[in-house]
Amino acid sequence: MTLVEAPRIVTLRAPSSTPAGPGITQQPRLRRSAAATRPPVSDWEVTYTGFESNPAARQAFQAAVDIWAALVASDVPIKVSATFKDLGDPNILGQAGPTDFAVPDDRTAYPVALANALLGYDVSLPSSRSSGNDIDAEFNNRAGNVYYGTDGAVPRGFVDFESVVLHELGHGLGLLGSMDVDDGKRGSFGAGTPYPAIFDRFTVLSQGAVQGKPLLSYPNRSTALGAALTSGGVYWDGALGKAAYNGRPPRLYTPSTYEPASSFSHLDDKDFPTGDRNALMTPFVENDEVIHDPGPVVLGMFADMGWDTPQPAGVRYTPVDPERVLDTRSGLGAPLRRLGSGSFLDLTVVGRAGVPADAQAVVLNLTGVGASEATDLRAYPTPRAGTAQPLVSNLNLAAGDIRANLVTVPVGENGRVRVLNRGGSVHVLADVLGWYGATASSTYHPVDPVRLLDTRASTGSGSLAGGAPRDLVVTGGAAGVPASATAVILTVTALRASSTTDVRVYPTPADASGPPMVSNLNLAPPGIVPNLVITKVGANGAVRLLNNTGQVDVIVDLAGWFDTETGALFHVLAPKRVLDTRTTAAPRVFAGESRDLPLLGVAGVSRSAVAAVLNVTGVSATRTTDVAVYPRPSDESFAPLVSSLNLLRGQTNADLVVSPLGAGGQVRLRNSGGDISLVADVAGWFGP
């Protein structure tokens, strides 16, 4: 264990007559976070110096301490030195930072309060310059127009002292990087030490053609790092910080001119303007601005760094009758043109197909049609600003392909989601199947995968004939789906088609109404095409399968169900790669082999999760095969007779999977034939 000097103290200045921030406006009075009324989860010991002349300032300081005490957990008391004195410049409101950084075996510098919380004991040495304190905080007793009340009733033109203290203590707890840019425009990290801060390890550059490049991959004391730190394109890449921003990477403040004590260690005020619930840790405090809650993004960033913070609430699901909201072939939802290489479109989903304004994520069936060359499509929440893209794909297409995949994508700015095409040109279709949100109706119930229908079997009633619907009862029976189920999760596989066709899966109507003008699977001989379907349960507890033309066999496997009773809630994540056998020592998975994938505590998946949402891709199959994804069994002899992904020789294809977690919080991926590389990206999880 090493103690190193804190890299710098972050200063917060009062607004000037020409503020660099978004402007001085009258703000609504914000109530204190409900979380701050809970019993404290950390004890704080504050030594007050100089506050005798202003008891109200001390009371406001303590109010900010109490908020943080209810939001970050530590078995070690957090010790603060709070000084109220003349800081010389009346425009400086206050400044704070960690007294020390501790460097455990991972060679990363942790603010001492966080190190204490993670290790469970006080790492400070009696002889260290910190004198046992974790945070040093100084505030200006000469600053004018400062309101010291704790009720949020800030007079017009005044700065709220409690908000300022809350901000500065956030730096002391760890929202503070070690990176800097010198006059020669060289960027550095470690503040003269070899150890980057834990904050630094979650920062990436995403701008133009450069996407997701870790800042720590640049040479220390290099102009390349300096350019990145003044690019305006630095983002937080931690899973929980992104989840708290509804699947988007939060952008950090990195203006073109490096600003000491402001650049890098704040959220960008353009993305989090005055009045935004996450605006506390932006670089500028505004007159009349009252923020008595760090906001979910900051708490998510703290959780990424290791703090134990409150888990965001999960959400329920509401299924809808499938409805097409995008078809670039007809101009529905986007201009009438193919989506070109590197191009994207922003699709409005809120207010369409029954998706309300408070929807947090939507379930879409995304289809690519007639790709001019091999490509992939990526669906992600429309960002507020910047160009950050996910480094994972949702749908892989070969030249000429017509193929679909289900996606669960967070809703982004102005109720939109973005679809990006990586190469060539392609038409894109999207159909809404449901949405997740706080006002949705249903919760998830996991099941081990079980086969409901195989038309090839003697009990399967034969292939589906073109235009002849077939109803499949999904409630009751051995699968245990109750009559109260509102929706079911099905893996539907179509194969042995006699001609090019599409298959539609939808709730069995109670009347003679026709099928929806959407499709779930597209295939041509000799294709074997699976797709995950989340569909409402229709009349008589059934769902309807409709083949468009010719003859086709269909396999249906149950993967879970929803109802309005108590069940698991959904927690959205930004997609994150959690498996890529191409990067391992044994990249290929051979016939009969499997890979076990641990997910608890990985990529933002909670240790309380019961199931995960994964996009699973099979790469370059050497022969026709299928991949089954299922909970890792406690009995190693068990393997369910289901499939999640089917590929022909040479194919690379993806399918969405919702799988319960098995022994050890793991899922198993098993390949049936030939050899193949496997890739998996986590997109969310179900749990409390």
Side-chain angles (χ1 to χ4, degrees), residues 51-357:
F51 283 83
E52 299 83 359
S53 62
N54 193 332
R58 173 170 175 161
Q59 183 178 6
F61 193 108
Q62 188 61 47
V65 165
D66 292 343
I67 292 172
W68 278 119
L71 294 173
V72 296
S74 178
D75 292 332
V76 181
I78 298 172
K79 300 177 182 180
V80 181
S81 171
T83 304
F84 198 53
K85 67 178 185 180
D86 185 354
L87 296 181
D89 184 349
N91 290 318
I92 297 178
L93 298 172
Q95 54 194 27
T99 56
D100 285 306
F101 279 68
V103 183
D105 291 341
D106 66 355
R107 301 182 65 81
T108 299
Y110 291 79
V112 65
L114 175 55
N116 291 347
L118 291 172
L119 296 173
Y121 61 88
D122 193 339
V123 301
S124 298
L125 302 176
S127 60
S128 74
R129 68 182 187 86
S130 70
S131 300
N133 289 317
D134 306 321
I135 300 172
D136 276 340
E138 298 178 336
F139 292 89
N140 200 345
N141 62 12
R142 290 186 57 222
N145 295 339
V146 177
Y147 178 68
Y148 294 102
T150 59
D151 57 3
V154 180
R156 186 173 181 83
F158 278 66
V159 174
D160 181 56
F161 186 68
E162 183 180 345
S163 300
V164 172
V165 174
L166 194 69
H167 173 110
E168 292 299 331
L169 292 177
H171 289 305
L173 290 169
L175 204 144
L176 177 73
S178 74
M179 296 199 181
D180 203 351
V181 178
D182 64 19
D183 291 341
K185 307 301 183 184
R186 291 183 298 270
S188 62
F189 61 82
T193 79
Y195 310 116
I198 182 62
F199 182 94
D200 304 338
R201 292 206 177 275
F202 292 95
T203 58
V204 298
L205 177 66
S206 289
Q207 187 181 49
V210 178
Q211 292 293 324
K213 182 178 176 66
L215 291 194
L216 289 175
S217 67
Y218 290 96
N220 202 357
R221 293 177 291 278
S222 68
T223 55
L225 179 56
L229 287 167
T230 53
S231 66
V234 174
Y235 292 82
W236 185 262
D237 195 44
L240 298 172
K242 292 191 290 186
Y245 197 32
N246 210 33
R248 296 174 287 180
R251 191 157 61 133
L252 303 181
Y253 181 67
T254 53
S256 57
T257 299
Y258 188 82
E259 299 176 5
S262 290
S263 288
F264 187 60
S265 293
H266 291 93
L267 293 173
D268 195 300
D269 57 315
K270 295 183 179 64
D271 290 51
F272 304 98
T274 301
D276 188 279
R277 63 185 303 200
N278 295 297
L280 177 71
M281 298 307 297
T282 57
F284 307 105
V285 62
E286 300 296 341
N287 287 343
D288 318 311
E289 189 173 26
V290 179
I291 311 177
H292 292 174
D293 185 337
V297 168
V298 169
L299 292 179
M301 295 167 69
F302 272 35
D304 284 324
M305 290 188 285
W307 281 109
D308 182 4
T309 63
Q311 177 178 291
V315 292
R316 293 175 174 248
Y317 179 70
T318 291
V320 301
D321 292 324
E323 181 176 331
R324 182 147 293 168
V325 293
L326 172 68
D327 189 341
T328 60
R329 301 171 303 179
S330 65
L332 174 65
L336 177 62
R337 63 171 180 265
R338 296 167 67 89
L339 194 60
S341 176
S343 298
F344 64 82
L345 59 86
D346 287 319
L347 171 66
T348 299
V349 291
V350 163
R352 306 177 67 188
V355 179

